[in-house]
Structures are given as C-alpha cells and as structure tokens.
C-alpha cells in the first residue's frame, strides 16, 4: 500500500476519532471483546476501504481480452452446478418471441 492511503487513513482517524471510538465500543459490546481487540480489525477495514476508493472498477479499465477471460471464468464457475442445457428449439427466435418474432 502506498503512503497516500495511509496518510488519508490517519487524517480520517483524526477527524472521526469520536465516531471510531463509538464504533469500537459498540463492536466490543456486541462481540463481548475488549476494545483493544476490536480496534486493529477496525483499522484494517478502514485502510482497505480507503484503498478501494482510489481503484477504478473493472468495467472502466478492462481490455477486451480481460472481458473475455472474465466471462469464461464466470461460465466455468457455473459448470459444476450441472444445469441442463437448452435445446436449439428452446432458444430459437420463434420459441422466444412466438408470433411477435
């Protein structure tokens, strides 16, 4: 992680110190944990969220080949579901649109 997110996290921690303390205290109550156990997890989550702010989404940065690869991975992730395939008739234009097609 570069220094910019870290300094931004430090700045946010200073600005929202009371809110962070409140969240830490509430999480400690909910989980029956010591606030000292909660705080590192909250810090890590804040760092991750700040880092995500600077990242551009996949659809903005992906090349055509990356889209193809992502789609193929998505298809493969569904193969293990063993779903039945549709027949040519079931996916024909006439079957889908009926008399409108």
């Amino acid at each position: 992680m570069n220094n910019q997110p870290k300094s931004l996290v430090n700045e946010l921690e200073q600005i929202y110190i009371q809110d962070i303390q409140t969240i830490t205290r509430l999480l400690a109550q909910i989980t029956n944990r010591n606030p000292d156990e909660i705080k590192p997890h909250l810090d890590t989550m804040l760092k991750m969220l700040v880092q995500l702010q600077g990242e551009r989404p996949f659809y903005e940065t992906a090349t055509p080949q990356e889209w193809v690869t992502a789609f193929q991975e998505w298809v493969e992730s569904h193969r293990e579901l063993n779903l039945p395939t549709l027949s040519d008739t079931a996916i024909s234009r006439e079957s889908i649109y009926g008399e409108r097609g």
Side-chain angles (χ1 to χ4, degrees):
M1 186 182 320
N2 63 28
N3 288 337
Q4 186 208 14
K6 188 172 184 174
S7 64
L8 181 55
V9 168
N10 291 338
E11 185 179 327
L12 290 172
E13 286 177 337
Q14 293 302 313
I15 294 170
Y16 296 102
I17 190 166
Q18 289 180 328
D19 294 329
I20 291 172
Q21 288 172 346
T22 300
I23 292 167
T24 303
R25 196 170 50 255
L26 290 171
L27 287 172
Q29 284 178 333
I30 291 169
T31 62
N32 293 321
R33 302 266 179 168
N34 185 312
D36 292 335
E37 292 177 272
I38 299 294
K39 186 70 168 83
H41 297 289
L42 194 56
D43 291 343
T44 300
M45 188 171 67
L46 184 57
K47 288 174 190 169
M48 289 172 57
L49 291 170
V50 167
Q51 185 178 12
L52 286 175
Q53 274 183 325
E55 294 180 11
R56 292 176 56 204
F58 177 81
Y59 67 87
E60 286 183 4
T61 60
T63 64
Q65 185 55 47
E66 289 171 329
W67 276 104
V68 169
T69 301
F71 179 72
Q72 289 171 337
E73 288 172 359
W74 177 82
V75 169
E76 290 302 320
S77 73
H78 289 75
R79 284 213 196 276
E80 65 190 36
L81 298 176
N82 223 11
L83 299 171
T85 56
L86 296 173
S87 67
D88 290 342
T89 305
I91 59 172
S92 70
R93 183 175 186 82
E94 294 79 24
S95 174
I96 294 170
Y97 293 105
E99 293 180 14
R100 297 176 292 149

